[in-house]
Amino acid sequence: MNVPLRRLLLVLATALATVLPLGTPAAAAPADLTEVPYPMDSSNQAAWWTPVATYRGAGEYAYFAFNEPGSQPGTHRVAIARRDPSGGWSRLPVLNGGGPAEYTDDIGHNQPSMARDGSGRFHVFASMHNNTWRYFRSDTTGGAPTNHAADLPDQGKNVTYPVLTSTPEGDLYLIARVQEGTRRAGNLYHWDNDASSWSKVGSFAAADGRSVYPDDLQVDSAGDLHLLFEWSLAPSSAFRHELSYLKYSPSTGVFRDHAGAEAAVPVTPASADVIQPIEAGESYQDEAGPAVQSAKLTLDGTSPKVAYRYRLATSGGLFHVRYAYLRDGAWARQTVYSGGQTTAALGLTWDETEGKRVYFATASGADRARVATESGGTWSSASVAPGLPIDRLAVRRNASGQDILYLVDTQGGRLHYARN
């Protein structure tokens, strides 16, 4: 489907939503959709991961890190599916000691994140749930990643939830949860592409009795880094609270809140720039009440936009999709979708014409993967994978201004590519 027609369908969907209650499906706007031609393991599902990288050379390339079936049930191997500008696919194995990198399944934890650096090397972090580094990097441009775990700082520490992004200059930044004594901190690391080396920037968030859950990070047009994360009781919880934000300036080494005030790091829940504060009836000790679960970040220039799932005291156990943005110097929040249960799958991009696009997946129905847009304060959503039981997803905007969608059908063991 061409871009003008797709945008026309989204406009019609938005118009229809003005007369429909929130959560009523709008007219479908299918994306360019193909199945990745490699088997996917059912363990390939997470909310926090960053499994997509893109590159524009002589055309647009896309790279999907994923878990493929292992040598026996309950295991998986790590690989990269590469799509070239003609639409052809090839597969790169992730190698450990000459053989495939293979690990025990651990849904929600042992999934890969990846990035491509300015030299064309792939960086993959895989299968870490309170494990020491499992890090793989290409030794040549476009080559299969091999084990380079010894290159990271914080050797011997237990690490979980590696989230990656790249800069226009070809450097990388990584956030992860790291065991630091009696607390689980959020740490920030930097890959200097010219020097081909990693360094630790520092701990950006940590508190006694709390565990940090990294969600996302993005580099803005000024070169600053925006970080998104949640908090739970230590050691861990499936339900988190006080979704938080920080901005880091590599040029000065200073962390700041959304208003530009310098932040002393590591921040705690008491000192963090909290996007979603504790609401009525919410408590860290109550795992059946209000809670945050998964979040993603995008930027309009230097202005952060956030999508996240939130369970209210009055939502009957349903996680609604919310959108947060800065208005008059403070965080404002809107409800994107409240029509039914959603899965721990979110994506968020900024389109110069349509504005924000919030991607999410419902827990049931024929058109589960959806993209929501807003017009005049009204949100509507359209299908991006009609008829497919997509229950996990990730999104990366490429250099040509297209959203590249990573769509997971865990029950069918299939991974899908879409361009929207």
Side-chain angles (χ1 to χ4, degrees), residues 27-64:
D32 179 15
L33 180 68
T34 58
E35 184 177 334
V36 177
Y38 308 112
M40 185 197 75
D41 191 72
S42 61
S43 68
N44 192 59
Q45 47 181 304
W48 49 268
W49 60 0
T50 50
V52 182
T54 62
Y55 169 66
R56 183 170 67 188
E60 292 284 352
Y61 294 80
Y63 311 98
F64 285 5

Side-chain angles (χ1 to χ4, degrees), residues 92-156:
L92 283 174
V94 174
L95 301 175
N96 188 15
E102 183 167 348
Y103 300 102
T104 301
D105 293 348
D106 184 0
I107 293 174
H109 300 101
N110 279 12
Q111 290 71 44
S113 285
M114 76 166 293
R116 181 187 184 277
D117 69 22
S119 299
R121 294 169 292 192
F122 302 123
H123 299 246
V124 178
F125 291 80
S127 298
M128 292 187 300
H129 185 198
N130 299 323
N131 298 102
T132 55
W133 294 110
R134 292 173 176 174
Y135 163 62
F136 307 87
R137 184 177 73 244
S138 305
D139 294 314
T140 59
T141 298
T146 60
N147 193 325
H148 281 272
D151 296 350
L152 270 296
D154 284 337
Q155 289 291 310

